[in-house]
Amino acid sequence: VANIYRRSQGNPLFAVEIAKMLTDENSVTWRGGQWHFEPVVEASLPLHLSEVMLRRVRRLPRKTQLILNQAAVLGPTFSGAVLREMDQHAEADLRESLVILLERQMIHQGARINGLNFSHRWLQWTLYEDLATLKRRSLHRAAGEALERLNAANLEAIVEALAHHFLQAGELEKGL
């Protein structure tokens, strides 16, 4: 615990994320009604909050990482319907990935029906910034196209989101 505190410099978000990371890595487990800690060497702990978050994400199944990256492009708040439409995910695969992300406390259900939020804006930002430029553009294009299909009857209601995604995808004419 002292090593976690020192590494996080008392920052509550950083300390909580380190604890979640150690739980994901089975260095901290709940057995017999109490927490059990494997020895934690401070030098093995990431130096930055972004590193902790990326280390947690990289332990997820590949399809769940893809869905999380798609969500990062959509923003801090997103919907399962748009994710499903972006990549034509099988309903069962998407549901399974969302359950994993909810259990790992990376996302949580929002106030809107079908609405989901990142557990913290920093996670969404970290994932977005970690995407390679070509991947980010591809995901923005997929987001714009998914939003177009889902809102074909009322594109005016989402014109700003469409412009954002197509401009970020490098499709200037369509964005404008």
Side-chain angles (χ1 to χ4, degrees):
V1 173
N3 288 341
I4 293 170
Y5 181 79
R6 273 193 303 277
R7 181 51 55 107
S8 68
Q9 298 178 351
N11 178 315
L13 177 61
F14 196 4
V16 166
E17 289 299 318
I18 288 173
K20 288 177 184 177
M21 178 195 75
L22 293 171
T23 303
D24 290 348
E25 295 175 353
N26 293 319
S27 295
V28 177
T29 56
W30 180 259
R31 296 186 316 264
Q34 58 183 313
W35 289 105
H36 295 269
F37 293 81
E38 298 294 322
V40 175
V41 178
E42 187 176 352
S44 70
L45 297 174
L47 292 172
H48 303 285
L49 179 57
S50 297
E51 293 174 59
V52 174
M53 291 179 167
L54 290 173
R55 195 157 137 184
R56 290 189 68 215
V57 168
R58 290 186 177 120
R59 294 188 58 80
L60 296 170
R62 191 76 189 116
K63 66 182 174 187
T64 303
Q65 290 180 44
L66 171 64
I67 288 169
L68 200 55
N69 285 331
Q70 290 169 330
V73 167
L74 293 172
T77 299
F78 54 95
S79 81
V82 177
L83 287 174
R84 185 171 30 287
E85 190 67 30
M86 278 179 76
D87 201 13
Q88 303 296 313
H89 295 291
E91 183 71 32
D93 288 344
L94 179 61
R95 192 175 317 112
E96 178 185 335
S97 290
L98 292 177
V99 166
I100 290 169
L101 294 170
L102 287 164
E103 286 174 349
R104 300 269 174 97
Q105 299 176 351
M106 293 179 170
I107 65 170
H108 57 83
Q109 293 182 314
R112 297 180 318 162
I113 295 174
N114 254 350
L116 298 163
N117 301 321
F118 277 90
S119 59
H120 197 280
R121 177 87 164 111
W122 192 265
L123 175 58
Q124 183 265 333
W125 180 85
T126 297
L127 289 166
Y128 188 82
E129 289 298 312
D130 191 54
L131 290 170
T133 302
L134 290 176
K135 181 68 172 173
R136 187 182 304 162
R137 283 183 168 194
S138 173
L139 290 176
H140 274 293
R141 182 177 304 105
E145 291 169 352
L147 288 167
E148 274 184 319
R149 287 189 298 273
L150 289 171
N151 298 280
N154 189 15
L155 291 178
E156 296 216 5
I158 60 161
V159 70
E160 289 177 26
L162 290 174
H164 168 75
H165 288 297
F166 287 123
L167 288 172
Q168 293 301 315
E171 295 187 21
L172 301 182
E173 274 189 47
K174 199 163 187 177
L176 294 172

